[in-house]
Amino acid sequence: MTTKIRIATTSLAGCFGCHMSLLDLDERLVPLADLVEFDRSPITDIEHCTNCDIGLIEGGVCNSENVHVLREFRKNCKILVAVGACAITGGLPAMRNFIPLEECLAEAYIHGIGVENAQIPNDPELPLLLDKVRPLHEVVKIDYFLPGCPPSAEVFWTFLNDLIAGREPSLPYESVHYD
Amino acid sequence: MTKTIRIDGNTVPFEEGQTIIEAATAAGIYIPHLCHHPEFTPHGSCKLCTVNVNGRNCSACTFPAMEGQEVLNNSQELQADRQKITQMLFVEGNHFCPSCEKTGNCQLQAVAYHLNMLDSHFPHFYAHRELDASHAEVLIDHNRCIFCTLCVRASQEHDGKEVFAIAGRGINKHLIVNAESGLLKDTDLEATDKAAHICPTGAILIKHTGYQVPIGERIYDHQHIDQVSLAAEQNK
C-alpha cells in the first residue's frame, strides 16, 4: 500500500482564480488524484487541515481570520506554498493599503451608490480587517512561491510533479509570469 | 594591438574610453541593467550591472574598461545579489504587475524574470505615491518609479528640455517635473519626446495606447531581456 501525498488548499484575500487555474489541469487531475489526496480545501469542504505534506495558499492576508488560517496551515503542512500574485505581493487587495481603513469601509457601506440602511458591519462573528493587506511571507515562513495572476495550470503541474517526485522544484523561464 | 579585458574567462576587446558594459555589449555579452542606456550619460544608480573587477564590485555602466581587468559577470553570487537588488526595487515602490498596463513590456519585470525572481523576499513598503494624470497624452504613476533618471537624462540630452528631475534624498527621493504647479500638464513635455518613451517601468506611460497589444503578445512574453537588450543596444 502506498500512502498518498496529502495536499491542503485555501484562498485567503484572493479571488479563487488560482484555484480555478489548478482545476485547469483538466484531465491531468485524474493521474494527479492517483498520487495525492486533498485534505482541507474548497474541493473537499474539510474544515481544518491535519498532517499535510503540501499546503497551497492563494491570496494575501487581509483580516484576523486569514492570520489564523495561515498559521494553522503553517503548523500542519510540511511544505507551504504561496500561490499567485496576491499571496506573494498582497496583489490587488493590497491596493487598499493607500487608503485609510475607515475611508474604505465608509465608501463601501455608508456612501456607496445604492446603499440602504447604511451601517458598517460590526457583527462579532465577522473577522476584523487588518489596517493593511500583507503578503504571506510577512506573517509565516513560506517554502515556495508560484508567481502569476494566476499561475498557469502548467505551473501547478510542473511544481507538484517535481515535489512529488522528490526533486527540487524549478519553473522553466516561460512559465514565470507576474501577470 | 587591440586592448582586451576578460569577462567570465572570455577575452573581450575594447576601445579606449569604453565602459565595461559597452565593451561587453559590443561583444554580445549581456550584463543586467535598468538605469543604463547606451545613448545617455551613465548614472550608475540601479546597481544591477554590478560586476566584480579584479576582486572588487563596481558598476559596469560607469567603470572604464582597462587592460588586464578580470571581470566576473554571470556568477551565481552576482546573480543572487542582483536578484536581491531587484526585490528591493519591487518592495520600495508599488509594482502590481497584474494591474499595470506596462506588464509584458516592462524592463523591471523582465530583469526579474531573467534573474528567476519568484518572490519579493522583503516586507513591502506600500509607500503612498501619487498619480499625475494632468497631461493630455502622458501619465506619471509615481508608484512605479525606480529613480533611474532615464527620463531626466533623455529630456536634457535628447529633447533639449528640462522636464524631469529627482528631488529629495534616501526614502524621500521622488521624481519632480519642471512646473510651478508640480503638474505635468504645465511643463513643455510632448508625447513625441524621447523622455516620454524611455521609462523602463510603467511610471511614465503614453495615454490611450496601453492595451493596443494584448497581454501575452508583448515583448518579454516571448523573448528574454538579454536577447532584446543586446539586439537593441548593438544597433545604436
Side-chain angles (χ1 to χ4, degrees):
Chain A
M1 194 193 114
T2 52
T3 355
K4 286 187 174 181
I5 303 280
R6 289 166 64 81
I7 299 184
T9 79
T10 194
S11 176
L12 304 179
C15 69
F16 280 92
C18 296
H19 277 81
M20 296 309 289
S21 189
L22 175 65
L23 294 179
D24 280 343
L25 284 171
D26 296 334
E27 69 270 25
R28 286 180 288 186
L29 287 166
V30 179
L32 185 67
D34 290 336
L35 301 171
V36 308
E37 62 180 332
F38 284 92
D39 190 73
R40 174 179 177 158
S41 168
I43 300 165
T44 61
D45 231 12
I46 297 171
E47 278 187 30
H48 294 284
C49 58
T50 41
N51 295 326
C52 289
D53 298 294
I54 304 170
L56 302 176
I57 302 198
E58 166 193 340
V61 180
C62 79
N63 64 30
S64 56
E65 194 231 357
N66 292 162
V67 177
H68 290 301
V69 173
L70 180 55
R71 287 185 176 152
E72 178 186 307
F73 267 71
R74 179 68 279 179
K75 209 172 161 187
N76 291 286
C77 301
K78 288 180 196 152
I79 293 170
L80 201 56
V81 188
V83 178
C86 303
I88 295 170
T89 71
L92 298 204
M95 295 181 95
R96 81 151 156 91
N97 289 354
F98 316 111
I99 303 161
L101 188 53
E102 203 175 334
E103 276 180 40
C104 287
L105 288 168
E107 177 66 26
Y109 296 106
I110 307 283
H111 309 303
I113 297 165
V115 172
E116 288 175 25
N117 188 20
Q119 56 176 318
I120 290 172
N122 64 351
D123 190 294
E125 284 205 6
L126 290 174
L128 290 173
L129 294 177
L130 306 183
D131 69 329
K132 282 188 166 54
V133 179
R134 294 284 173 187
L136 305 186
H137 74 271
E138 293 188 28
V139 182
V140 298
K141 163 91 168 77
I142 297 294
D143 302 299
Y144 294 103
F145 299 84
L146 302 181
C149 185
S152 65
E154 214 52 50
V155 168
F156 285 104
W157 184 246
T158 309
F159 176 77
L160 289 175
N161 275 297
D162 277 354
L163 263 195
I164 291 165
R167 291 188 294 265
E168 181 65 21
S170 91
L171 297 174
Y173 180 91
E174 292 69 28
S175 59
V176 176
H177 280 283
Y178 302 157
D179 54 15
Chain B
M1 207 181 97
T2 323
K3 292 183 174 183
T4 60
I5 58 174
R6 283 164 66 81
I7 301 180
D8 293 331
N10 301 308
T11 304
V12 172
F14 72 93
E15 288 161 27
E16 201 61 46
Q18 270 187 325
T19 58
I20 291 174
I21 208 168
E22 284 168 342
T25 303
I29 297 170
Y30 172 69
I31 301 177
H33 58 271
L34 286 171
C35 75
H36 164 74
H37 191 289
E39 287 175 45
F40 306 118
T41 313
H43 190 247
S45 61
C46 80
K47 299 297 168 199
L48 270 175
C49 71
T50 298
V51 289
N52 187 288
V53 182
N54 297 341
R56 297 175 71 164
N57 282 0
C58 63
S59 304
C61 72
T62 54
F63 211 78
M66 282 181 286
E67 191 74 55
Q69 283 172 337
E70 276 289 341
V71 180
L72 286 179
N73 169 40
N74 197 13
S75 74
Q76 212 179 348
E77 191 179 343
L78 283 167
Q79 291 295 74
D81 287 347
R82 291 166 182 159
Q83 196 195 75
K84 285 284 168 287
I85 291 167
T86 311
Q87 287 168 325
M88 286 191 252
L89 289 173
F90 267 82
V91 302
E92 186 184 358
N94 298 303
H95 301 278
F96 296 110
C97 298
S99 71
C100 177
E101 61 185 70
K102 192 72 176 276
T103 189
N105 288 332
C106 172
Q107 290 175 35
L108 175 64
Q109 188 188 55
V111 159
Y113 291 165
H114 176 77
L115 298 167
N116 194 33
M117 183 186 120
L118 301 181
D119 69 317
S120 32
H121 183 81
F122 300 104
H124 282 254
F125 283 28
Y126 296 125
H128 191 203
R129 304 228 197 124
E130 298 295 334
L131 199 75
D132 182 348
S134 63
H135 195 284
E137 292 168 285
V138 183
L139 174 111
I140 305 181
D141 187 340
H142 291 279
N143 289 293
R144 303 167 188 153
C145 180
I146 57 167
F147 317 115
C148 68
T149 74
L150 273 173
C151 57
V152 180
R153 286 176 278 160
S155 187
Q156 287 173 352
E157 297 175 23
H158 182 275
D159 303 332
K161 300 180 182 179
E162 298 270 350
V163 176
F164 297 102
I166 300 288
R169 285 188 175 273
I171 199 68
N172 298 316
K173 187 159 58 178
H174 59 286
L175 182 69
I176 53 169
V177 298
N178 193 359
E180 250 179 72
S181 63
L183 294 173
L184 196 60
K185 72 175 167 68
D186 297 324
T187 67
D188 53 355
L189 182 81
E190 291 165 88
T192 48
D193 287 356
K194 186 116 187 169
H197 296 265
I198 199 88
C199 182
T201 76
I204 301 177
L205 295 168
I206 305 296
K207 289 183 178 179
H208 318 299
T209 60
Y211 292 96
Q212 281 176 353
V213 179
I215 291 171
E217 294 175 22
R218 297 178 173 192
I219 302 169
Y220 304 110
D221 287 334
H222 300 289
Q223 300 175 79
H224 298 221
I225 192 168
D226 50 352
Q227 298 306 319
V228 175
S229 171
L230 282 173
E233 293 175 11
Q234 283 178 331
N235 291 330
K236 292 293 176 211

